[in-house]
Amino acid sequence: WKQKHNIDHHTYTNIEGMDHDIDIKFMRVHEDQPKHWYHKFQHLYWVLLYGISYIAWILYQDFEKYFSGRMAKAGKAHKMALKEHFIFWSTKLGYIFVYLILPVIMVGWVETLIGFVIVGVVCGFSISVVFQLAHVVEGTQFPEPNNTTSKIEQEWAVHQINTTANFATKNKVISWFLGGLNFQVEHHLFPGISHIHYPQINKLVKETCLEFNVAYLEHRTMTKAFVSHILHIKKLGSRTVSI
């Protein structure tokens, strides 16, 4: 999580090959990703993919990254220290014991499987929707690095604002449930500051963006952000020639 999210996602937000969050199998979330025939249905089958995302994450993707040493397709291979190997395997075995083996012993394998799938789907769907509404909606950018320097020709803070969107920032219930993740712009700009300060920071960031003519994307409600996400992936599923 430290490498995948805290470093890669927060540094290379919405950059193809570096931000794992936009590398979703069977989904096309920006123009530079190849288009396949099935993408024209992605605005329908996203429900299934988001639902299984958590289970795929803990039972497949973590192992894929562990054995390849790469957090993202274009990322450098990361050599793990002995301590990291120990943490990986001990936590994985602990997870399997607590969430699968122990429940099977106590209530049976059928009940365990049903419960595990329900919890996994709810968790995956919730996490995916929140993350997608923050970065994969109409108006967010997906910058390409300079071919010569391999750098983004924007300041880091401007890049974060251009690739991120807020939603429902006036809704205190949603803010409480999401731990301030609906203030995604502020979360990216000030990840070390408690989310309880985001409403005040939000005003300052907006004023600064207005002063320096930087577009600030915010959807008034979560519903509007959700609709924007669906429209975005629907458009991307219908554009360009299929391969």
Side-chain angles (χ1 to χ4, degrees):
W1 182 259
K2 176 183 177 182
Q3 181 66 43
K4 172 181 175 292
H5 184 82
N6 296 353
I7 297 177
D8 288 356
H9 172 67
H10 273 262
T11 304
Y12 309 106
T13 312
N14 279 14
I15 297 178
E16 177 65 20
M18 293 301 297
D19 184 359
H20 177 81
D21 286 1
I22 62 171
D23 180 19
I24 308 170
K25 287 181 172 60
F26 305 109
M27 294 285 289
R28 184 176 188 246
V29 300
H30 67 88
E31 294 281 3
D32 295 322
Q33 291 179 330
K35 182 178 181 295
H36 300 279
W37 65 268
Y38 49 79
H39 286 140
K40 64 182 177 180
F41 303 109
Q42 67 178 5
H43 64 289
L44 301 175
Y45 64 67
W46 65 270
V47 179
L48 173 63
L49 295 182
Y50 293 3
I52 65 174
S53 62
Y54 173 73
I55 296 175
W57 174 8
I58 59 174
L59 297 182
Y60 171 71
Q61 292 175 353
D62 280 350
F63 290 97
E64 180 183 44
K65 290 174 172 53
Y66 176 82
F67 288 109
S68 69
R70 298 178 185 275
M71 297 298 110
K73 290 185 295 186
K76 295 181 179 180
H78 173 68
K79 187 176 181 180
M80 298 177 68
L82 181 61
K83 178 182 178 181
E84 293 175 313
H85 286 289
F86 174 77
I87 292 174
F88 179 85
W89 286 109
S90 61
T91 53
K92 280 299 178 187
L93 292 174
Y95 181 93
I96 292 172
F97 176 77
V98 171
Y99 289 98
L100 291 174
I101 296 177
L102 192 59
V104 167
I105 295 173
M106 297 180 67
V107 300
W109 69 270
V110 174
E111 292 83 354
T112 296
L113 181 61
I114 293 174
F116 182 77
V117 170
I118 291 174
V119 171
V121 168
V122 171
C123 182
F125 187 84
S126 302
I127 292 175
S128 296
V129 168
V130 172
F131 283 6
Q132 295 294 73
L133 299 193
H135 297 289
V136 185
V137 292
E138 297 170 306
T140 52
Q141 298 180 16
F142 298 82
E144 289 186 70
N146 183 285
N147 291 329
T148 304
T149 64
S150 296
K151 294 182 178 180
I152 296 296
E153 297 179 353
Q154 288 177 327
E155 294 183 356
W156 175 83
V158 175
H159 172 79
Q160 297 303 317
I161 295 171
N162 288 341
T163 57
T164 308
N166 285 357
F167 59 91
T169 57
K170 303 298 183 183
N171 191 316
K172 293 184 178 180
V173 175
I174 289 179
S175 296
W176 181 79
F177 268 111
L178 300 184
L181 288 178
N182 51 324
F183 288 88
Q184 193 72 195
V185 173
E186 289 68 35
H187 170 66
H188 269 254
L189 292 175
F190 307 101
I193 296 180
S194 172
H195 67 85
I196 64 173
H197 301 297
Y198 287 170
Q200 289 72 36
I201 296 174
N202 172 262
K203 299 174 184 177
L204 298 175
V205 173
K206 284 182 177 178
E207 291 174 0
T208 304
C209 286
L210 184 62
E211 179 182 353
F212 290 93
N213 196 31
V214 176
Y216 187 100
L217 184 57
E218 180 172 306
H219 294 99
R220 188 171 59 84
T221 66
M222 191 170 183
T223 300
K224 289 183 180 296
F226 178 76
V227 170
S228 180
H229 171 62
I230 298 301
L231 291 175
H232 177 77
I233 60 175
K234 184 176 182 179
K235 290 176 183 176
L236 284 166
S238 61
R239 289 179 183 170
T240 73
V241 179
S242 299
I243 59 174

